[in-house]
Amino acid sequence: MAGINISAGSSQEQPWYVALLGLAEHFRTSNPQNIRLCIHCLQSIFNFSPPPHIEARTHLQLGTILLTHAKNIDIARSHLEKAWTISSTVPHIDDVRFESASILSQVYSEKQNQPQHAKPILLKAIELSQQAPYWHCRLLFQLAQLHTAEKDWLAAMNMMGIGADYALSVRSEYTR
């Protein structure tokens, strides 16, 4: 699992935010891990009424950690939904926006067997990601994979074709 991104956002982040992220990362990486305290540190960030970019990133981090370490998928999904919703309205946090969309759609399709909830999220993220080649291709392939799992071969091939055309347009021969 990727670490907690302490350098997220601008270099002028609030000291309380950097301190809580540092503590959360310490607890996550200590031997043995103390995920409970890591989660408490991240949840404490909300007590400061953080700006939307911090709130969205924190929800993404909590959702990811809870998905990996907790049994209650609904709580993880709730944090991922909040990350997706908030990041969809905040400029310049594409990484949070697209990662939350990707993970949230995986939760819906793979863990909760609700692909009908995953598709609209992926479609909206694909629409928003056209200026981010990595995420655009990744999300297209994820939607193609979802169609394949449903044995909707035509839709899957259509997504692959769109992905190949896009890769060609951004000169990514390897991806194509």
Side-chain angles (χ1 to χ4, degrees):
M1 182 182 99
I4 295 171
N5 189 354
I6 294 175
S7 64
S10 73
S11 61
Q12 302 299 317
E13 294 296 358
Q14 295 294 325
W16 53 263
Y17 176 61
V18 175
L20 286 169
L21 282 181
L23 275 172
E25 180 67 356
H26 168 75
F27 290 127
R28 190 189 69 78
T29 58
S30 61
N31 191 5
Q33 287 183 324
N34 194 333
I35 298 302
R36 185 180 61 79
L37 290 179
C38 172
I39 290 168
H40 283 299
C41 288
L42 291 173
Q43 288 173 327
S44 296
I45 291 170
F46 299 126
N47 293 332
F48 291 92
S49 300
H53 72 281
I54 291 176
E55 184 179 0
R57 184 173 304 280
T58 304
H59 279 297
L60 173 60
Q61 291 166 331
L62 273 166
T64 303
I65 288 171
L66 289 167
L67 194 59
T68 306
H69 296 283
K71 293 182 176 122
N72 189 335
I73 293 173
D74 291 334
I75 296 172
R77 187 193 73 224
S78 174
H79 282 289
L80 293 168
E81 286 171 344
K82 288 175 186 172
W84 166 242
T85 302
I86 295 167
S87 67
S88 294
T89 63
V90 178
H92 310 299
I93 57 170
D94 288 350
D95 56 332
V96 174
R97 180 178 305 124
F98 302 133
E99 187 173 351
S100 63
S102 177
I103 296 170
L104 181 57
S105 66
Q106 284 177 330
V107 168
Y108 278 130
S109 62
E110 297 171 15
K111 300 209 183 280
Q112 296 190 316
N113 198 26
Q114 298 176 334
Q116 72 275 13
H117 294 299
K119 287 178 188 176
I121 294 167
L122 285 173
L123 288 170
K124 181 65 175 175
I126 288 167
E127 177 186 322
L128 296 172
S129 67
Q130 299 213 10
Q131 300 305 313
Y134 167 78
W135 281 109
H136 193 65
C137 289
R138 180 173 166 177
L139 294 164
L140 282 167
F141 293 144
Q142 190 172 345
L143 184 55
Q145 182 179 5
L146 183 59
H147 287 306
T148 301
E150 295 179 319
K151 298 187 182 355
D152 186 351
W153 311 119
L154 189 59
M157 290 299 294
N158 184 40
M159 286 296 111
M160 296 297 285
I162 292 169
D165 291 344
Y166 179 79
L168 180 64
S169 75
V170 295
R171 296 190 174 115
S172 179
E173 194 60 39
Y174 174 79
T175 305
R176 186 168 173 256

